Amino acid sequence: QVLLLESGGGLVQAGGSLRLSCAASGRTFSRYAMGWFRQAPGKKRDFVARIAARDGYTTYADSVRGRFTISRDNAKNTVYLQMNSPQPEDTAVYYCAADADYAREYDYWGQGTQVTVSS
């Protein structure tokens, strides 16, 4: 079992910035691809960003590309989501997830952190 704990959510004004963090337990974090997802009220859970385990290759949803940046610090067992110029439509619960076996589905999920963007 890998435990993931998100932090950094809160209320931010549109056009501001916010950085989410996700701390992972265990000794093999550096082997996991990590992802961020979000779910707005009444909406399905959507993919936001992914970062590969070794080379740091990143993938973004079209809706956030150019505004959000995913990064990781393997020495700290932490993945980040830097949210620049968030907009009200970015309001959601944000979840981090770990792909431990490099399958397309994620194996472990955090509890989520609320991000609310005000205009």
Side-chain angles (χ1 to χ4, degrees), residues 1-111:
Q1 178 68 42
V2 175
L3 300 179
L4 304 174
L5 181 60
E6 302 97 333
S7 62
L11 178 65
V12 62
Q13 290 193 64
S17 66
L18 196 67
R19 189 179 75 162
L20 307 183
S21 299
C22 174
S25 67
R27 300 177 61 190
T28 55
F29 173 81
S30 63
R31 303 179 188 173
Y32 308 154
M34 298 295 296
W36 285 97
F37 293 76
R38 66 187 182 186
Q39 187 167 24
K43 301 290 187 179
K44 62 177 174 56
R45 185 176 61 200
D46 289 331
F47 168 78
V48 175
R50 176 183 173 97
I51 185 165
R54 301 293 174 85
D55 62 6
Y57 183 84
T58 57
T59 305
Y60 296 95
D62 290 344
S63 58
V64 307
R65 186 176 297 110
R67 299 187 298 118
F68 294 3
T69 302
I70 188 171
S71 62
R72 66 192 299 157
D73 187 338
N74 288 339
K76 297 180 178 179
N77 270 30
T78 301
V79 63
Y80 305 95
L81 185 69
Q82 178 68 42
M83 303 172 61
N84 292 335
S85 190
Q87 301 299 309
E89 53 265 37
D90 296 314
T91 294
V93 176
Y94 283 71
Y95 300 89
C96 73
D99 179 1
D101 58 5
Y102 262 82
R104 291 189 176 183
E105 272 83 50
Y106 290 77
D107 305 288
Y108 307 105
W109 294 84
Q111 85 290 346

